[in-house]
Amino acid sequence: MSHETNTLLIPLHVSYIENLGKNKNDLIYHLTAHLRMNAIYWGLTALCTMNHREALDRDEMIDYVMSCWDEETGGFGAHPDHDAHILSTLSAIQILVTQDAIGRLDIDRVVKFILSLQQPSGVFAGDSFGEIDTRFSYIAVNALSLLGRLGDLNVEKTVSYIVQCRNFDGGFGSRIGAESHAGQVFVCCAALTILDRLDEIDTPTLSWWLAERQLPNGGLNGRPEKLEDVCYSFWVLASLSMLKKVHYIDSDKLISFILSAQDPEGGGIADRPGDMPDVFHTHFGMAGLSLLGYPGLVDIDPVYCMPAALIENLGLRKGWQS
Ligand SMILES: COc1ccc(S(=O)(=O)N2Cc3cc(C#N)ccc3N(Cc3cncn3C)C[C@H]2Cc2ccccc2)cc1
Ligand SMILES: [Zn+2]
């Protein structure tokens, strides 16, 4: 049965996420093993945004997360016996915090793993193979902050690398000299926000660059001349929210764009209308709608991309967040 896509089809999206982990025999399930931990965080957070956290079994989820802990390094892999990576370590922490199960963690060992990835330049690597990216700096700051261990971080070194990535357009790239991209703008703004260093940002120039991401069809792209994509709704909106400039874009047109990317048959949200939905775009589309104040959705914190009430309870929402 197909539905109109001018409203959010919440029951359909809840069942889409519930069914994700069920069909274990098809190929896609095994091809995405390297994403499993992230996908659980994306699915769980999308359900929380729709106020249906109970749709996935809590104990089974916590047991899976802990089965991916790598005793040797102290980090989490995306799948049991996979190498620890900072991306899956943050997702694991976010899942445990969301499920109020942070007590299952050996916090000292996890903190040691995260800090071991900081490079002499100040940037973080994703794992022991050494790929660096400002995304990993944000992930380290976010994770340490959720664990209440920001005091263990060399803040000056972390901030100095991010500031060296600032471009003439006010945006940020994945490393020094890389071009500005909405995903990297988000991670650098969010890291600087958590570290209370928003003064390092050229707000007028960056706010203009972010507003320029909106296209005539209402969708947002990640860089000039690129196509609109639902996931940029969150990266751009969350950045504008931290800079207190959400009014720079047309919210109604963006809401319509995200709603038009829903799959009215099987549920889920795609990167743009007519494409295959996936859990990544379902999560970031839902989070974008939450930031836009879509009725009936739970507030998502723009910095941590987790339920705002949860971040508030951890004392991590500073006064400057609306
Ligand atoms: C479908 O080809 C891909 C390509 C890459 C990846 S990925 O490297 O693992 N990854 C996560 C991701 C997950 C899904 C889902 N389910 C879908 C896409 C997608 N992308 C790709 C994408 C999204 N918008 C446009 N593009 C091209 C982002 C990427 C990087 C990323 C990882 C974690 C957090 C944020 C961003 C996965 C699938
Ligand atoms: Zn996308």
Side-chain angles (χ1 to χ4, degrees):
M1 171 186 70
S2 117
H3 303 75
E4 269 310 302
T5 55
N6 51 12
T7 60
L8 186 60
L9 307 164
I10 288 184
L12 209 55
H13 299 317
V14 171
S15 61
Y16 168 78
I17 290 169
E18 278 174 329
N19 297 325
L20 275 178
K22 287 189 181 136
N23 39 10
K24 289 190 170 55
N25 47 19
D26 67 342
L27 190 59
I28 194 81
Y29 183 82
H30 300 284
L31 286 181
T32 56
H34 71 290
L35 278 175
R36 189 71 29 81
M37 189 70 82
N38 302 81
I40 295 172
Y41 156 70
W42 297 326
L44 173 64
T45 311
L47 288 173
C48 289
T49 311
M50 295 184 282
N51 205 16
H52 279 279
R53 172 199 313 232
E54 77 296 334
L56 292 177
D57 183 280
R58 176 176 180 272
D59 294 336
E60 189 185 319
M61 185 181 294
I62 293 168
D63 291 345
Y64 175 80
V65 169
M66 294 318 295
S67 74
C68 297
W69 190 54
D70 173 9
E71 179 95 32
E72 198 192 321
T73 60
F76 285 84
H79 193 276
D81 304 325
H82 276 210
D83 290 336
H85 194 280
I86 202 167
L87 253 169
S88 33
T89 299
L90 174 62
S91 292
I93 294 167
Q94 290 175 306
I95 293 162
L96 294 176
V97 169
T98 303
Q99 296 285 29
D100 195 18
I102 201 71
R104 296 288 299 267
L105 271 184
D106 179 337
I107 291 185
D108 289 340
R109 295 291 321 280
V110 177
V111 168
K112 192 163 177 285
F113 168 72
I114 294 167
L115 294 175
S116 74
L117 295 171
Q118 184 159 36
Q119 306 301 298
S121 66
V123 75
F124 278 77
D127 57 19
S128 52
F129 295 101
E131 181 206 358
I132 62 164
D133 190 316
T134 44
R135 274 192 306 157
F136 303 145
S137 295
Y138 160 70
I139 288 171
V141 170
N142 182 333
L144 291 172
S145 158
L146 287 174
L147 298 176
R149 297 288 289 267
L150 266 184
D152 295 42
L153 175 71
N154 184 329
V155 173
E156 278 321 308
K157 225 162 95 167
T158 306
V159 170
S160 86
Y161 186 87
I162 292 171
V163 170
Q164 290 174 72
C165 295
R166 198 178 53 201
N167 294 320
F168 62 89
D169 55 15
F172 295 87
S174 56
R175 58 189 70 177
I176 296 171
E179 70 165 337
S180 297
H181 178 294
Q184 311 304 138
V185 166
F186 166 74
V187 296
C188 292
C189 285
L192 292 173
T193 299
I194 294 172
L195 299 174
D196 226 358
R197 297 288 291 272
L198 275 177
D199 53 294
E200 300 287 355
I201 292 178
D202 174 357
T203 299
T205 309
L206 179 53
S207 305
W208 186 82
W209 186 86
L210 288 165
E212 281 288 290
R213 296 298 115 255
Q214 189 158 38
L215 300 172
N217 62 31
L220 306 178
N221 64 16
R223 283 179 286 172
E225 314 306 319
K226 289 288 181 183
L227 272 179
E228 66 286 350
D229 177 333
V230 159
C231 70
Y232 294 117
S233 311
F234 180 79
W235 310 129
V236 172
L237 265 180
S239 305
L240 283 170
S241 169
M242 290 178 238
L243 303 178
K244 297 202 175 313
K245 299 284 186 301
V246 172
H247 56 284
Y248 275 28
I249 57 122
D250 183 328
S251 298
D252 294 338
K253 287 188 76 173
L254 180 53
I255 287 174
S256 306
F257 171 74
I258 299 170
L259 294 177
S260 72
Q262 293 177 96
D263 177 339
E265 304 290 320
I269 300 175
D271 57 353
R272 59 183 68 89
D275 281 2
M276 278 291 287
D278 62 47
V279 65
F280 179 90
H281 290 96
T282 302
H283 162 56
F284 286 109
M286 211 66 77
L289 288 173
S290 171
L291 290 181
L292 288 161
Y294 189 86
L297 292 184
V298 166
D299 269 355
I300 290 295
D301 182 275
V303 177
Y304 292 86
C305 200
M306 290 166 70
L310 226 166
I311 299 303
E312 188 110 35
N313 292 343
L314 290 170
L316 297 174
R317 264 168 92 79
K318 309 282 191 316
W320 27 255
Q321 266 163 306
S322 51

